[in-house]
Amino acid sequence: SKAPVRVAVTGAAGQIGYALLFRIASGEMLGKDQPVILQLLDLPQAQKACQGVIMELDDCAFPLLAGVFATDNPDVAFKDADICMLVGARPRGPGMERAELLSANGAIFTVQGKSIAENAKEDVKVLVVGNPANTNAYIARKSAMKVGRTNPANYHGMLRLDHNRALSMAAAKIGRPVSSLRKMAVWGNHSPTMYTDYRNATSNGDSVKALINDAAWNNDVFLPTVAKRGAAIIEARGLSSAASAANAAICHVRDWVLGTEDWVTMGVPSDGSYGVPEGIIFGFPCECKNGSYKIIQGLEIDAYSQEKIAKTLKELQEEADAVKSML
Ligand code: NAX
């Protein structure tokens, strides 16, 4: 049988952690034949809650769960990790300015990026879920690059929830199942400036854009609804998205490790594609094969799309500028 894969999960005592860990342990992320060891990181005051989660993991008697522990020490949590899912982050408190939020998270992700680079496997795959996800991934990557050792291409931010939201909403609009859809894309930041793009999407081979054939709906309904979906969930549930966020994290890592047939949106460090400066963590349509990903090249960017991409890029560059002094 296969050697266990070590998966570190931060923010393990939180609500996304609770929706995520059981699915990883059941084999939904890495395959039904792949044993896993879960390495949980959370703050000191959350250790007791982590022990409760571990008790429940034990009580599931998952055949694939080869081990689990919790710690408040990043160096212990990331030791020999093959995959790091960085869910824990500093939430925006009441009256907190954007700059304060960025610097509070900068303090977390500089430490965690360095610790990953020093302790994890050299080919570790890192997915940042905690917001602001793109910039937290940017910080972790830059911090890791000072250490060297790990692959700078493997520091990602999560845009998959936005991608999945777009799939579901486009499917409902055309009255066909999600499974009929291919080639959805979301560009840029995981924030309301993201640009959700179905221009290249198909449903059973038919153009989704032609089936919808309504530019006003795209601009006035589809884009803002996907962009504000997180806020709509908070309004309805009184809590932010958790099960769908955990599902998106599972999808991102599963597709990265096991490969894709379709396009998937990943927040990856730009290699200069589509004029996005190198190193900015930007949502691009990607394909995955043999454990690595590739940004889909050669897509036509019309004037409308260019304007949307420029706007979300500007926001990411401003966030990068705001954390420059920490890196
Ligand atoms: P919770 O507040 O339920 O849980 C967060 C957990 O992280 C807590 O247990 C906390 O103790 C822990 N934590 C805080 N700082 C830590 C640190 N330095 N090291 C380790 N653990 C730490 O939040 P939850 O609902 O689980 O959301 C987690 C993060 O995901 C938030 O930042 C949230 O904004 C973000 N989201 C990102 C999404 C995305 O699409 N990229 C969507 C969902 C979600 O909003």
Side-chain angles (χ1 to χ4, degrees), residues 8 35 43 45 92 101 103 109 123 148 153 191 218-219 244 257 259 270 277 310 322 324:
L43 299 174
Q45 62 268 29
R92 192 179 210 136
L101 179 75
S103 81
F109 287 89
D123 62 352
S191 92
N218 177 53
N219 189 73
S244 55
V257 172
S270 180
K324 206 158 60 190

Side-chain angles (χ1 to χ4, degrees), residues 156-318:
H156 291 185
M158 190 171 91
L159 276 97
R160 184 58 175 268
L161 181 52
D162 310 298
H163 180 98
N164 288 348
R165 285 167 173 165
L167 283 175
S168 192
M169 194 168 167
K173 176 70 175 174
I174 61 175
R176 295 191 186 181
V178 167
S179 60
S180 75
L181 294 176
R182 298 287 180 275
K183 298 187 174 178
M184 184 60 78
V186 183
W187 304 84
N189 199 4
H190 169 66
S191 92
T193 65
M194 76 184 79
Y195 171 45
T196 314
D197 177 12
Y198 58 67
R199 291 175 306 132
N200 300 290
T202 59
S203 163
N204 297 331
D206 304 324
S207 158
V208 168
K209 187 177 176 208
L211 288 169
I212 293 175
N213 192 25
D214 188 344
W217 181 82
N218 177 53
N219 189 73
D220 303 338
V221 180
F222 181 69
L223 265 55
T225 306
V226 175
K228 294 180 196 153
R229 184 71 163 181
I233 304 275
I234 293 174
E235 165 66 22
R237 218 170 75 87
L239 288 166
S240 56
S241 352
S244 55
N247 179 67
I250 297 258
C251 290
H252 184 123
V253 172
R254 180 198 63 208
D255 290 346
W256 192 0
V257 172
L258 300 177
T260 54
E261 302 279 305
D262 191 9
W263 299 2
V264 291
T265 298
M266 296 174 139
V268 301
S270 180
D271 57 359
S273 292
Y274 300 99
V276 177
E278 233 178 302
I280 293 285
I281 307 289
F282 202 81
F284 288 110
C286 294
E287 273 174 333
C288 304
K289 209 177 170 180
N290 301 326
S292 60
Y293 68 91
K294 203 170 84 214
I295 298 169
I296 303 292
Q297 297 296 324
L299 299 175
E300 192 204 322
I301 306 296
D302 57 21
Y304 179 84
S305 303
Q306 190 53 55
E307 187 194 316
K308 297 282 183 196
I309 287 172
K311 186 177 172 207
T312 192
L313 174 58
K314 180 165 178 280
E315 182 180 57
L316 280 169
Q317 287 180 301
E318 286 168 2

Side-chain angles (χ1 to χ4, degrees), residues 10-17 41-43 46 87-90 108 112 128-131 133 158 161-162 190 240-241 245:
T10 77
Q15 51 152 4
I16 294 176
L41 180 71
D42 208 306
L43 299 174
V87 178
R90 178 71 190 278
I108 296 172
Q112 293 190 359
V128 178
V129 175
N131 281 320
M158 190 171 91
L161 181 52
D162 310 298
H190 169 66
S240 56
S241 352

